[in-house]
């Protein structure tokens, strides 16, 4: 490990020295201020069409558009020449192409015009772009700029190693960015680090490693290790930590909508540090660590066992989606199929701050349609809640994922349960015997030991027995009553601090558990304004208009029916893991009494039980005697000669009388009281209560 760290530092040092030496000899370029630009001026622009060879095309200034851009003025221009004839106009990926007039750098080709052909576009002044080097660090800029007529020359996302289903999942999670994604390949020169130059290609990556996802554009200006590119925002996240790579262009792909450059994302050479209205800015030689995500995935049916690694950018909006998309894609590749299956996933999320706790969670999922997508849902949500909680800055330094998948349907129905006792005192333990029926399998039994909380108030309660992923029946009815969605319930949840939130994430029931818990009668999921006096403290309450995940606060005033006394109390429950996704639930009614009253009630039940057993025993003995007596009478009747009919003493071969049937065989008709019933009334056996 020491060698690995030393080599990483050595490689960074060599890389930095390489860029310093390569760029220090670059000649300074004069800038032409936008106020000096006049209609009719002509110049050239530089960009790459194939490979890394820079080509020129012609530029003619049509005018200056005052304050039309996100950072100030824009220069309206017409483009021409062989390159434009070859590409059909400005293509996506040409954004950032430097424009020179009289040898001075004017700015970067950045925008098209919605109702014009591809040879008309706008230029972002270079003076606005280089200001990005002096902006204080600021995370997640949100002041989006838009103009329906001006269309940024998009930097379409190049996807390496991702399948189409994963990209659709990715876009569904981030619809606000309206991404266009294209599959791409690798190039033989991708491993070679090359210094950036104006007019050359550069890539800003969101995902790096065994998978790559990023945008390719054009470098506008380089000064030492600093560079500016694109001429318009990529994501407009303000201060950023994208992975900066070399890029190699395969070709320009013509399209009815707009042509685009198709290229590979090569060697990592630095970090994109700013993403704002005037473009992106970066520094060469400094590598961003991002968030490493390591996968170990198994397909049990096919015997596949795969390891893979990526790193994703550290961004509270995008990291959850990028990590989940990478997992989704890796699952698709490992399984090499779509459709139904059962998955078991364990993931560990490690924070950068060593004083904060890592989160480890294991769960099982079944889907009849897409097991890959089902597996990543919780993974995405947990990362999202951790990174966007309202309490602390939970910076993630590492994510580790292990998953096993099979086509088998590993589900089980909870078909029966019995409780050792339903008359208890605080602190007593109830043994719940649960019977599970696996899908197409033999029934299995599990014992769950539930301890009644020592501070449990006396009274009658519902003891819930359920699968970990099941919602208790009273809450299902409550959801139906108020038409509540899971999203609404999530927003209603109140956490007092980060530790409370963290414990909830780590200890929330898993689908493969049998859970036993007490449900308080009269609990409502919402505040009922009509009659708050008859309703106990709401289990979930206090909703904001638009809270972020984990950013949940209680409402104050008359709408809060809680008196605050129970805020610290946790809902007591016991959970037992199984090898199946447990479905179904049931309820017992239990009586929580004082120890004295409990003992009296149990003693009374025991006496009633003894009486009932004694009564049944006497009935059984009586029935046996009656049966024996009847049997003896039948035997005597069959062997004793008849006084009235001497024919009964004839040899056996003589035929029986036609008037009276033979009694050699016992009658098939048995009296109804020959044998006692085995069905005992359930209310007479309190020691083993069933659902």
């Amino acid at each position: 490990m020491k060698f690995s760290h030393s080599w990483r530092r050595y490689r960074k040092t060599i890389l930095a020295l390489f860029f310093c030496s390569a760029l220090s000899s670059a000649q300074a370029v004069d800038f032409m201020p936008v106020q000096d630009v006049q209609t009719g001026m002509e110049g050239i622009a530089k960009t790459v069409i194939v490979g890394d060879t820079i080509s020129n095309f012609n530029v003619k200034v049509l005018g200056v558009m005052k304050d039309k851009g996100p950072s100030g003025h824009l220069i309206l221009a017409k483009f021409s020449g062989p390159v434009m004839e070859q590409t059909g106009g400005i293509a996506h990926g040409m954004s950032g192409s430097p424009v020179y007039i009289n040898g001075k750098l004017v700015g970067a080709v950045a925008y098209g015009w919605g109702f014009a052909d591809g040879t008309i576009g706008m230029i972002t002044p270079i003076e606005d772009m280089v200001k990005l080097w002096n902006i204080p660090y600021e995370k997640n800029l949100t002041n989006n700029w838009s103009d329906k007529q001006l269309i940024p020359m998009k930097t379409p996302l190049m996807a390496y190693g991702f399948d189409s289903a994963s990209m659709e999942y990715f876009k569904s999670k981030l619809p606000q960015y309206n991404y266009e994604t294209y599959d791409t390949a690798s190039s033989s020169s991708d491993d070679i680090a090359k210094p950036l130059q104006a007019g050359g290609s550069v890539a800003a990556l969101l995902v790096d490693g065994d998978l790559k996802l990023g945008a390719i554009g054009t470098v506008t200006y380089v000064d030492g290790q600093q560079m500016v590119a694109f001429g318009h925002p990529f994501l407009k996240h303000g201060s950023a930590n994208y992975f900066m790579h070399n890029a190699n262009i395969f070709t320009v792909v013509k399209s009815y909508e707009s042509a685009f450059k198709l290229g590979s994302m090569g060697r990592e050479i630095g970090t994109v540090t700013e993403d704002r209205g005037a473009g992106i800015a970066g520094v060469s030689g400094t590598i961003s660590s991002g968030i490493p995500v390591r996968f170990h995935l198994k397909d049990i049916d096919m015997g596949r066992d795969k390891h893979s690694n990526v790193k994703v950018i550290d961004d509270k909006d995008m990291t959850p989606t990028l990590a989940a998309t990478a997992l989704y894609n890796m699952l698709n590749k490992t399984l090499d199929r779509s459709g139904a299956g059962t998955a078991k996933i364990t993931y560990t999320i490690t924070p950068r701050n060593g004083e904060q706790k890592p989160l480890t969670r294991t769960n099982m999922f079944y889907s009849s349609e897409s097991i890959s997508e089902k597996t990543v849902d919780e993974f995405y949500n947990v990362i999202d809640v951790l990174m966007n909680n309202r309490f602390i800055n939970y910076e993630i330094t590492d994510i580790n994922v292990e998953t096993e998948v099979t086509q088998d349907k590993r589900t089980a129905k909870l078909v029966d349960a019995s409780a050792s006792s339903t008359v208890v005192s605080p602190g007593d333990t109830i043994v719940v015997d649960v019977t599970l029926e696996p899908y197409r399998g033999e029934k299995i039994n599990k014992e769950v030991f539930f301890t009644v909380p020592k501070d449990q108030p006396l009274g009658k309660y519902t003891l819930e027995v359920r699968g970990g992923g099941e919602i208790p029946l009273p809450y299902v009815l409550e959801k139906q009553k108020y038409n509540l969605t899971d999203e609404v319930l999530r927003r209603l949840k109140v956490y007092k601090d980060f530790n409370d939130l963290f414990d909830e994430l780590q200890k929330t029931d898993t689908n493969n558990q049998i859970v036993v818990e007490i449900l308080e009668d009269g609990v409502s999921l919402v505040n009922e304004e009509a009659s708050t006096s008859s309703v106990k403290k709401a289990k979930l309450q206090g909703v904001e208009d638009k809270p972020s995940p984990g950013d949940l606060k209680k409402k104050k005033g008359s709408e809060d029916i809680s008196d605050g006394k129970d805020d610290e109390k946790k809902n007591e429950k016991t959970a037992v893991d199984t090898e199946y996704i447990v479905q179904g639930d049931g309820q017992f009614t239990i009586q929580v009494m004082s120890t004295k009253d409990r003992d009296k009630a149990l003693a009374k039940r025991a006496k009633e039980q003894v009486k009932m057993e004694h009564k049944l025993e006497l009935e059984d003995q009586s029935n046996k005697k009656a049966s024996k007596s009847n049997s003896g009478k039948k035997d005597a009747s069959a062997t004793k000669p008849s006084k009235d009919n001497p024919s009964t003493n004839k040899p056996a071969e003589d035929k029986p009388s036609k008037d009276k049937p033979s009694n050699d065989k016992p009658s098939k008709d048995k009296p109804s009281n020959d044998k006692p019933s085995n069905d005992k009334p359930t209310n007479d056996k309190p020691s083993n209560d069933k659902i």
Side-chain angles (χ1 to χ4, degrees):
M1 186 62 70
K2 290 182 179 178
F3 171 78
S4 176
H5 289 313
S6 298
W7 166 247
R8 192 176 293 113
R9 288 193 296 268
Y10 172 76
R11 188 173 72 89
K12 288 182 179 179
T13 303
I14 295 298
L15 194 60
L17 291 174
F18 165 74
F19 280 104
C20 286
S21 60
L23 300 174
S24 60
S25 60
Q27 295 182 351
V29 177
D30 291 335
F31 296 165
M32 177 178 286
V34 66
Q35 58 266 28
D36 293 345
V37 176
Q38 302 295 323
T39 299
M41 284 185 168
E42 296 185 358
I44 62 167
K46 296 182 177 183
T47 198
V48 174
I49 302 301
V50 177
D52 52 14
T53 302
I54 297 175
S55 302
N56 298 341
F57 57 94
N58 300 324
V59 179
K60 183 176 181 178
V61 175
L62 301 179
V64 175
M65 306 172 68
K66 302 289 187 180
D67 295 321
K68 290 296 293 184
S71 57
H73 305 324
L74 293 176
I75 301 167
L76 181 64
K78 183 173 179 63
F79 312 112
S80 61
V83 169
M84 292 294 99
E85 294 173 4
Q86 180 181 344
T87 61
I90 297 295
H92 295 324
M94 287 185 181
S95 55
S97 298
V99 175
Y100 301 89
I101 295 177
N102 298 329
K104 295 182 178 181
L105 180 58
V106 176
V109 176
Y111 296 92
W113 218 338
F115 52 84
D117 62 31
T119 63
I120 302 291
M122 274 65 70
I123 300 167
T124 298
I126 187 61
E127 289 178 315
D128 292 332
M129 295 181 69
V130 295
K131 291 177 182 177
L132 299 176
W133 290 336
N134 299 314
I135 294 178
Y137 184 80
E138 174 189 345
K139 271 195 171 183
N140 301 307
L141 195 69
T142 57
N143 54 322
N144 294 324
W145 168 90
S146 64
D147 188 306
K148 293 182 179 180
Q149 292 184 337
L150 301 180
I151 302 175
M153 301 309 298
K154 292 183 180 178
T155 49
L157 291 178
M158 298 290 114
Y160 175 77
F162 288 94
D163 60 14
S164 58
S166 300
M167 287 295 90
E168 287 302 317
Y169 175 85
F170 169 75
K171 288 188 281 188
S172 71
K173 291 291 186 181
L174 298 168
Q176 67 271 29
Y177 292 110
N178 193 26
Y179 287 119
E180 290 293 335
T181 59
Y182 300 96
D183 294 335
T184 191
S186 60
S187 170
S188 57
S189 63
D190 284 348
D191 291 335
I192 303 173
K194 305 171 187 177
L196 298 178
Q197 55 182 324
S201 299
V202 66
L205 270 63
L206 308 175
V207 180
D208 193 12
D210 293 334
L211 303 171
K212 292 183 178 180
L213 182 67
I216 295 177
T218 304
V219 178
T220 307
Y221 179 61
V222 177
D223 184 3
Q225 289 180 271
Q226 298 183 112
M227 74 91 196
V228 288
F230 287 20
H232 61 69
F234 171 29
L235 305 175
K236 205 172 185 184
H237 276 192
S239 297
N241 278 293
Y242 310 148
F243 315 125
M244 190 168 76
H245 284 236
N246 286 134
N248 184 75
I249 305 302
F250 297 133
T251 186
V252 175
V253 179
K254 292 185 178 180
S255 169
Y256 288 108
E257 293 184 0
S258 180
F260 63 91
K261 289 184 181 182
L262 181 65
S264 68
M265 294 162 284
R267 181 74 171 269
E268 185 174 9
I269 56 172
T271 302
V272 175
T273 57
E274 295 293 334
D275 178 9
R276 299 179 184 267
I280 65 171
V283 56
S284 299
T286 301
I287 305 300
S288 174
S289 60
I291 299 177
V293 187
R294 298 188 299 275
F295 303 108
H296 180 200
L297 311 177
K298 294 181 181 180
D299 183 338
I300 297 174
D301 305 318
M302 301 300 294
R304 297 191 180 103
D305 191 323
K306 291 189 176 182
H307 293 263
S308 56
N309 301 278
V310 300
K311 67 174 182 176
V312 299
I313 62 168
D314 184 357
D315 180 90
K316 70 182 183 67
D317 293 326
M318 302 195 70
T319 297
T321 296
L322 296 173
T325 302
L327 173 58
Y328 183 30
N329 186 81
M330 290 301 186
L331 282 170
N332 288 343
K333 284 192 168 185
T334 303
L335 301 180
D336 193 23
R337 67 174 179 84
S338 59
T342 303
K344 182 178 182 180
I345 178 173
T346 299
Y347 51 91
T348 299
I349 301 171
T350 305
R352 193 176 304 278
N353 185 343
E355 296 181 359
Q356 297 169 354
K357 296 183 293 185
L359 183 143
T360 298
R361 183 167 167 80
T362 300
N363 208 345
M364 287 181 67
F365 301 95
Y366 170 76
S367 173
S368 60
E369 298 179 355
S370 174
I371 186 57
S372 294
E373 186 168 352
K374 186 72 173 179
T375 303
V376 304
D377 283 345
E378 180 189 279
F379 178 68
Y380 164 85
N381 287 325
V382 170
I383 298 174
D384 184 40
V385 169
L386 283 175
M387 297 192 73
N388 291 282
N389 79 85
R390 69 183 178 92
F391 301 106
I392 66 171
N393 181 21
Y394 191 89
E395 291 186 274
I396 299 173
T397 188
D398 179 84
I399 300 175
N400 189 72
V401 184
E402 294 192 10
T403 303
E404 295 180 354
V405 185
T406 177
Q407 280 187 298
D408 294 343
K409 185 177 181 179
R410 297 192 62 81
T411 63
K413 292 283 187 181
L414 196 159
V415 295
D416 193 18
S418 61
S420 59
S421 179
T422 54
V423 178
V424 294
S425 292
D428 285 356
T429 296
I430 303 173
V431 182
V432 181
D433 291 308
V434 179
T435 301
L436 299 178
E437 186 175 51
Y439 177 75
R440 295 180 178 175
E442 298 294 327
K443 291 181 179 179
I444 58 175
N445 296 313
K446 289 280 188 179
E447 281 188 334
V448 184
F449 297 86
F450 175 78
T451 300
V452 180
K454 292 183 178 180
D455 59 349
Q456 183 69 39
L458 306 183
K460 182 185 292 185
Y461 296 95
T462 298
L463 187 67
E464 171 83 6
V465 183
R466 61 179 173 83
E470 299 287 322
I471 301 175
L473 181 61
Y475 298 161
V476 172
L477 299 177
E478 190 77 6
K479 286 179 67 177
Q480 293 174 347
K481 177 181 177 182
Y482 291 98
N483 194 27
L484 300 173
T485 65
D486 290 338
E487 174 67 14
V488 170
L489 292 179
R490 183 185 67 79
R491 294 188 177 193
L492 286 169
K493 181 64 179 177
V494 177
Y495 301 102
K496 66 178 185 294
D497 55 28
F498 178 76
N499 288 333
D500 187 30
L501 168 63
F502 187 89
D503 289 343
E504 179 81 8
L505 292 176
Q506 192 159 45
K507 297 177 182 178
T508 293
D509 310 328
T510 60
N511 298 322
N512 60 310
Q513 289 179 327
I514 301 170
V515 178
V516 177
E517 64 181 335
I518 289 177
L519 303 180
E520 293 188 37
D521 295 335
V523 170
S524 175
L525 295 175
V526 297
N527 297 330
E528 299 187 53
E529 296 179 358
S531 179
T532 59
S533 60
S534 63
V535 182
K536 295 183 181 179
K537 176 181 180 294
K539 183 179 179 68
L540 303 172
Q541 64 180 4
V543 60
E544 293 180 329
D545 292 336
K546 293 182 179 180
S548 300
D551 190 358
L552 310 172
K553 300 177 181 178
K554 283 196 291 185
K555 280 187 176 182
K556 296 181 179 180
S558 60
E559 293 184 0
D560 188 355
I561 60 174
S562 168
D563 58 8
K565 295 180 181 179
D566 295 329
D567 289 349
E568 300 292 328
K569 184 177 178 180
K570 291 289 185 181
N571 191 32
E572 296 292 339
K573 61 185 175 184
T574 301
V576 173
D577 293 342
T578 75
E579 294 301 315
Y580 301 92
I581 297 165
V582 182
Q583 301 170 333
D585 70 335
Q587 297 84 32
F588 298 99
T589 298
I590 65 172
Q591 288 278 357
V592 181
M593 304 178 173
S594 67
T595 304
K596 183 178 179 180
D597 291 340
R598 176 206 62 189
D599 292 343
K600 287 182 179 179
L602 291 178
K604 183 179 179 182
R605 277 197 172 192
K607 288 181 180 179
E608 292 175 352
Q609 179 72 13
V610 170
K611 288 181 180 179
M612 178 59 67
E613 290 177 354
H614 182 62
K615 179 181 178 182
L616 292 174
E617 184 179 351
L618 292 176
E619 289 179 358
D620 188 48
Q621 291 175 357
S622 176
N623 289 332
K624 285 180 179 179
K625 288 179 181 180
S627 177
K628 186 175 181 180
S629 175
N630 290 335
S631 177
K633 289 179 181 180
K634 291 177 182 178
D635 292 343
S637 174
T639 57
K640 186 177 180 180
S642 173
K643 295 180 180 180
D644 300 328
N645 191 1
S647 63
T648 55
N649 295 320
K650 291 183 179 181
E653 63 268 18
D654 291 347
K655 295 180 180 180
S657 171
K658 295 180 180 179
D659 298 327
K660 188 174 183 180
S662 171
N663 289 325
D664 287 344
K665 297 180 180 180
S667 171
K668 295 181 181 179
D669 298 325
K670 298 180 181 179
S672 60
N673 62 346
D674 280 351
K675 189 176 181 180
S677 171
N678 288 326
D679 296 327
K680 299 179 182 180
T682 57
N683 60 347
D684 292 326
K685 190 179 179 182
S687 61
N688 192 27
D689 296 281
K690 287 183 174 287
I691 290 177

